[in-house]
Amino acid sequence: MSTLAFYVHIPYCVRRCGYCDFNTYTPAELSISGDLSATSRSYIDLLLREIEFARETSTASVVPTIFFGGGTPTLMEAADLGRVISTIGSHFELDPDAEVTTEANPDTVTKEKLAQLREAGFNRISFGMQSAVPHVLQALDRTHNPENVFKATTWAREVGFKEVSVDLIYGTAGESTCDWEVSVDTALALPITHISAYALIVENGTKLEAQVKRGEVIMPDDDQTADKYLLADEKFTAAGFNWYELSNWAKPGSESRHNLAYWNGDNWWGAGAGAHSHIDGRRFWNVKHPAAYSQKVLESGNPMHEQEILTLEEARSEEIMLQIRLATGLDRAALSGDEQGSLSGFLSDGFLDGEAWARGAVVLSKTGRLIADRIVREILL
Ligand SMILES: C[S@@+](CC[C@H](N)C(=O)[O-])C[C@H]1O[C@@H](n2cnc3c(N)ncnc32)[C@H](O)[C@@H]1O
Ligand code: SF4
């Protein structure tokens, strides 16, 4: 039976964080009032129309996972988000054990809102914690009080979320190793089952990039950032969170099934402004701006902007790139003799796991994870 994971994009944030280049808009940018309830209703109506279009287009039957990302999905009314889940359930067969996740900004939830989200069908929630240290949050241009993360994760468990995750960012300018350790320890003291930790990327066109260019912000060097990754990995592992993807750790059985579907190259439909989809080697993506998205959906139900069909070679490169990031690694037999040969230096230098290699898998060692991109480039040269 063929499956289709759903990603649902909500392109709204109260304000834009200085480092973020996600496809998201503030009410002021869209000239809408601070009250987003009308926007919530109308944007969700468009998503429902796109889901009908997905039904007409796709042959898949079962939906194993749904992931609401943003932007800030929790700015929408819980009942409106619930309409998306039930519409997916009425047009497709929603796996009774489906993983249904929303991203959340710790500032945008109350206990009541979390209970409404559970009621609407969510069973997993991922909070953007980023750091527990006020000056680091300030440097990241984040608005939330670090104490809100403890409250939000505790409420989430109290109202019945089985899976609770937090996102952390390391490598912010001015973040000492000691600051990072505080963030890691604070995260580990939360009632959570999953952690993502990302090195801060200076994205083009962001306020952060402008600050770096003007010399107002000096980014830390790569060695310091690598040490922070190793420190986090050590602490997460000691606390029972197993590494399973470059930037992700989970308690046994709490790995994100939705993200694993991406990394394993499964089929997914991305609904919403600017969302990307992948079905059987065809990639397509929607128009980015919510106004253009609205216009296209209202005209035809189809908000697609462009598409590309992956050549066999492109599909293979993508598979190598994604699978090598996983703790399960890449099947060595999927590589040619020459490609395997190109890895011998990395193997002897300890960047690849020798035991895994002996049983036929290419798995990054801890230090190998720090140079994953270089290793992939070497294979694909
Ligand atoms: C869409 S946001 C998460 C939900 C919510 N909007 C929030 O920020 O709390 C997804 C995650 O991407 C990560 N992220 C965004 N921009 C990043 C950047 N420039 N470098 C590293 N991580 C980034 C952050 O950790 C963030 O939590
Ligand atoms: S709240 Fe999240 S999506 Fe919105 S601007 Fe900040 S990091 Fe980006």
Side-chain angles (χ1 to χ4, degrees):
M1 223 169 349
S2 63
T3 61
L4 185 65
F6 265 91
Y7 171 76
V8 181
H9 190 71
I10 307 292
Y12 306 107
C13 285
V14 175
R15 57 188 293 281
R16 182 179 282 278
C17 308
Y19 58 90
C20 177
D21 77 337
F22 282 67
N23 185 36
T24 187
Y25 305 84
T26 62
E29 282 166 353
L30 297 173
S31 305
I32 46 184
S33 76
D35 173 16
L36 282 170
S37 54
T39 307
S40 169
R41 264 194 309 282
S42 56
Y43 182 72
I44 299 288
D45 286 342
L46 300 171
L47 289 173
L48 304 192
R49 181 68 196 87
E50 188 184 347
I51 292 161
E52 278 170 32
F53 176 71
R55 175 64 292 173
E56 290 157 20
T57 313
S58 159
T59 54
S61 47
V62 177
V63 174
T65 61
I66 309 176
F67 190 105
F68 288 70
T72 310
T74 41
L75 287 178
M76 304 286 98
E77 304 286 335
D80 281 326
L81 298 175
R83 289 198 288 138
V84 176
I85 300 171
S86 53
T87 301
I88 292 174
S90 61
H91 289 297
F92 295 83
E93 188 188 326
L94 187 57
D95 185 332
D97 190 29
E99 175 189 278
V100 186
T101 305
T102 184
E103 286 180 344
N105 186 318
D107 270 350
T108 60
V109 293
T110 56
K111 188 169 181 184
E112 192 191 359
K113 174 94 180 199
L114 290 166
Q116 290 166 355
L117 290 167
R118 279 287 296 137
E119 184 91 353
F122 289 93
N123 50 31
R124 184 172 185 279
I125 189 158
S126 171
F127 289 103
M129 170 177 176
Q130 322 309 356
S131 170
V133 178
H135 78 86
V136 177
L137 284 170
Q138 205 180 353
L140 282 171
D141 210 12
R142 292 291 296 206
T143 52
H144 68 259
N145 175 342
E147 282 163 28
N148 287 350
V149 184
F150 178 73
K151 280 194 209 148
T153 50
T154 305
W155 289 333
R157 294 307 284 247
E158 283 171 1
V159 303
F161 277 92
K162 202 170 140 273
E163 303 295 347
V164 179
S165 180
V166 291
D167 289 345
L168 292 175
I169 287 185
Y170 58 97
T172 302
E175 181 191 59
S176 65
T177 304
C178 186
D179 291 332
W180 174 235
E181 203 167 352
V182 168
S183 293
V184 168
D185 289 340
T186 307
L188 288 173
L190 300 170
I192 55 171
T193 54
H194 185 282
I195 305 182
S196 305
Y198 304 108
L200 179 63
I201 299 170
V202 180
E203 300 284 3
N204 291 339
T206 57
K207 180 174 155 194
L208 177 62
E209 187 204 35
Q211 290 169 320
V212 171
K213 277 191 174 156
R214 289 197 297 265
E216 292 163 15
V217 167
I218 315 256
M219 292 298 287
D221 68 44
D222 289 351
D223 285 351
Q224 202 192 4
T225 307
D227 285 346
K228 286 182 180 166
Y229 179 90
L230 295 174
L231 183 141
D233 180 65
E234 200 168 299
K235 287 196 170 241
F236 295 159
T237 309
F241 290 80
N242 299 324
W243 169 68
Y244 74 102
E245 193 272 346
L246 229 45
S247 311
N248 288 277
W249 292 258
K251 289 275 175 76
S254 291
E255 296 81 6
S256 160
R257 280 160 48 204
H258 185 82
N259 286 339
L260 281 169
Y262 289 146
W263 299 320
N264 285 320
D266 294 350
N267 288 339
W268 78 84
W269 189 288
H276 286 232
S277 304
H278 167 262
I279 295 183
D280 298 332
R282 184 168 75 99
R283 276 201 293 233
F284 46 99
W285 50 95
N286 290 344
V287 286
K288 265 184 102 170
H289 196 279
Y293 174 75
S294 170
Q295 194 184 349
K296 280 219 156 209
V297 172
L298 293 174
E299 271 165 20
S300 65
N302 177 5
M304 187 172 84
H305 176 50
E306 275 182 77
Q307 66 169 335
E308 65 184 6
I309 299 189
L310 296 181
T311 62
L312 283 177
E313 201 180 329
E314 284 167 341
R316 180 171 180 271
S317 302
E318 188 162 294
E319 195 178 318
I320 289 172
M321 223 150 45
L322 291 172
Q323 297 207 336
I324 208 164
R325 299 171 64 97
L326 297 170
T328 44
L330 181 67
D331 185 4
R332 193 143 69 86
L335 300 180
S336 69
D338 280 353
E339 287 168 338
Q340 293 189 34
S342 71
L343 293 176
S344 59
F346 292 118
L347 184 64
S348 56
D349 290 344
F351 293 115
L352 297 175
D353 178 335
E355 262 177 49
W357 183 271
R359 67 177 146 76
V362 184
V363 175
L364 300 172
S365 69
K366 218 174 270 200
T367 49
R369 289 186 235 155
L370 300 170
I371 56 161
D373 291 346
R374 231 174 81 198
I375 296 177
V376 168
R377 272 201 304 277
E378 193 63 44
I379 299 175
L380 297 177
L381 258 184

